[in-house]
């Protein structure tokens, strides 16, 4: 279909308090221009404010009570019998399914709760993917060499061992590969392109309080 293309870029787990500090103190010039020329505002999160229900709400425009995803796991017959959420746990139609119904060509990179895909298109799934089955269609492995080094999550053993700098470098490497894959995918035929960078969320889980004290923290400035 002919028309204007739309791109959505997500930075997981980033607050305006944090972003304003990084824009003013760390020289994020691109974000500064976007904030200057665009529109911004604070949105209420989902209840509960957890990745799976929050992104299911993003995809449907509904709250967890209506789309049915409340956490990363859901009970079957009882609370002692749990299952991981999948795309089929979302009980409402997503906006990307609606776009697909109208013939729009879609590329979704790292959108949570998209495994297994409910639409035709180019999809690289996110958390809750079973095994290494995260690239659809599989032929993309032959077309984009960077996908062979693509990972869904960083090396968490580094974090468990207290190797914070090494863990953050691993996150940066993971996101660099994701970015290079996105660059290749942008050259394909599409109408709607979505990409989420999860590294911001992983880093905030361990360093958010230190980022808010940017000028006083040598580790943050080194990173």
């Amino acid at each position: 279909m002919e028309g204007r293309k739309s791109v959505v870029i997500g930075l997981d787990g980033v607050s305006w308090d944090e972003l304003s500090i990084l824009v003013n103190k760390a020289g994020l010039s691109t974000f500064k221009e976007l904030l200057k020329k665009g529109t911004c505002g604070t949105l209420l999160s989902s209840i509960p404010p957890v990745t799976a229900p929050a992104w299911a709400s993003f995809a449907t425009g509904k709250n967890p009570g209506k789309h049915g995803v409340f956490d990363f796991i859901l009970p079957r017959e009882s609370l002692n019998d749990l299952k991981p959420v999948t795309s089929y746990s979302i009980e409402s139609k997503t906006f990307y399914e609606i776009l697909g119904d109208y013939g729009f060509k879609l590329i979704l990179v790292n959108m949570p709760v998209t495994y297994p895909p409910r639409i035709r298109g180019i999809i690289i799934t996110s958390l809750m993917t079973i095994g290494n089955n995260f690239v659809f269609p599989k032929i993309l492995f032959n077309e984009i060499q960077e996908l062979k080094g693509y990972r869904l999550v960083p090396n968490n053993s580094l974090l468990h061992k207290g190797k914070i700098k090494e863990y953050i470098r691993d996150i940066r490497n993971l996101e660099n590969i994701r970015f290079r894959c996105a660059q290749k995918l942008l050259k394909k035929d599409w109408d709607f392109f979505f990409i989420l960078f999860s590294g911001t969320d992983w880093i905030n889980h361990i360093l958010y309080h230190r980022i808010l004290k940017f000028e006083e923290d040598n580790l943050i400035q080194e990173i």
Side-chain angles (χ1 to χ4, degrees), residues 87-88 114-120 123 125 133 136:
S87 63
Y88 294 111
T114 52
Y115 176 86
R118 287 167 49 160
I119 60 169
R120 290 187 177 182
I123 302 178
T125 57
N133 191 28
F136 302 87

Side-chain angles (χ1 to χ4, degrees), residues 21-81:
I21 289 174
L22 295 176
V23 166
N24 294 323
K25 304 291 178 63
L28 301 183
S29 57
T30 299
F31 279 101
K32 195 168 188 175
E33 282 299 305
L34 288 172
L35 293 173
K36 181 179 178 181
K37 297 179 180 179
T39 300
C40 63
T42 300
L43 301 178
L44 293 176
S45 184
S46 61
I47 300 175
V50 178
T51 293
W55 284 103
S57 293
F58 169 82
T60 62
K62 298 180 179 181
N63 63 45
K66 293 182 178 179
H67 61 60
V69 177
F70 294 89
D71 205 334
F72 288 109
I73 55 176
L74 294 172
R76 290 187 176 93
E77 299 299 323
S78 73
L79 292 178
N80 294 320
D81 184 16

Side-chain angles (χ1 to χ4, degrees), residues 63-132:
N63 63 45
K66 293 182 178 179
H67 61 60
V69 177
F70 294 89
D71 205 334
F72 288 109
I73 55 176
L74 294 172
R76 290 187 176 93
E77 299 299 323
S78 73
L79 292 178
N80 294 320
D81 184 16
L82 304 175
K83 63 178 181 180
V85 299
T86 71
S87 63
Y88 294 111
S89 302
I90 303 176
E91 299 173 357
S92 301
K93 199 163 190 176
T94 61
F95 75 84
Y96 47 85
E97 289 177 284
I98 296 172
L99 289 176
D101 289 343
Y102 280 93
F104 289 98
K105 297 176 181 178
L106 311 173
I107 297 180
L108 308 179
V109 180
N110 196 39
M111 183 183 289
V113 204
T114 52
Y115 176 86
R118 287 167 49 160
I119 60 169
R120 290 187 177 182
I122 293 175
I123 302 178
I124 301 177
T125 57
S126 182
L127 295 173
M128 313 308 290
T129 297
I130 297 176
N132 292 320

Side-chain angles (χ1 to χ4, degrees), residues 134-135 140-151 177 181:
F134 56 82
V135 177
L140 288 174
F141 276 115
N142 299 327
E143 298 176 2
I144 301 176
Q145 293 301 308
E146 286 83 356
L147 281 173
K148 295 177 180 178
Y150 191 97
R151 291 177 292 149
I177 293 173
C181 290

